[in-house]
Amino acid sequence: MSFCKHCVQGVRHEGTPEGKFETIGGIKTYVATPTGEYPKDKAILFLTDVFGPELNNNLVRLPPLFLPHLILTLTLACVGFDRDRQLLADDFAKNGFQVYLADLFDGDPVPAEGLSPGSTFDIMKWFPTHGPNVTQPKVEALITALKAQGVTRFGAVGYCYGGEHPDLSLSIVP
């Protein structure tokens, strides 16, 4: 995997996440739930960049999300999508779908100081123990656990590093 200079930089924003962390399939997962009625058989997997689910930072607010009968896979570039993934997951939930934001790095994402100019963090030293061979089974465990809870339709959004997982992960959904 190659990295662009934007994979380890971003912009910080403020906000208060509304979801909660749960352990699903053995994976720490931020769960954003709509406030009203929503289809319990549908879920959106939110797969983050290298900063993981707890970095309180994101630049975007997307328009209302429509999950068609087909699987939706959206992969976005690294640039500018490194802020509050929890707030973004909450925004997706406000559009009527439960959202699952898994901690693929077991609490060891690229540190927030990796955003700072002059950071000495070396992503090439971090990556061998955090690559797809380690994270992909976690995505699959989450999908398996959600299927056991009755979810039959999945959508996925992946940002930068997380963009590699949706096609691989959703291929296990019949």
Side-chain angles (χ1 to χ4, degrees), residues 13 22 29 37 52 60 77-78 86 94 96 98 122-123 133 135 145 149 159:
H13 292 265
E22 299 177 17
T29 305
E37 285 297 312
V60 297
C78 323
Q86 296 168 14
K94 288 174 185 171
Q98 192 146 12
D122 186 348
I123 196 166
N133 61 317
T135 57
Q149 294 177 11
Y159 293 88

Side-chain angles (χ1 to χ4, degrees), residues 14-66:
E14 300 299 322
T16 303
E18 298 172 8
K20 61 183 179 177
F21 278 96
E22 299 177 17
T23 300
I24 303 172
I27 310 300
K28 181 179 177 183
T29 305
Y30 179 82
V31 180
T33 305
T35 54
E37 285 297 312
Y38 63 94
K40 309 293 190 282
D41 65 334
K42 297 177 183 172
I44 296 175
L45 303 179
F46 186 126
L47 305 165
T48 71
D49 56 21
V50 295
F51 296 106
E54 295 194 55
L55 181 64
N56 202 15
N57 195 12
N58 226 322
L59 289 175
V60 297
R61 293 288 184 261
L62 297 182
L65 181 67
F66 172 70

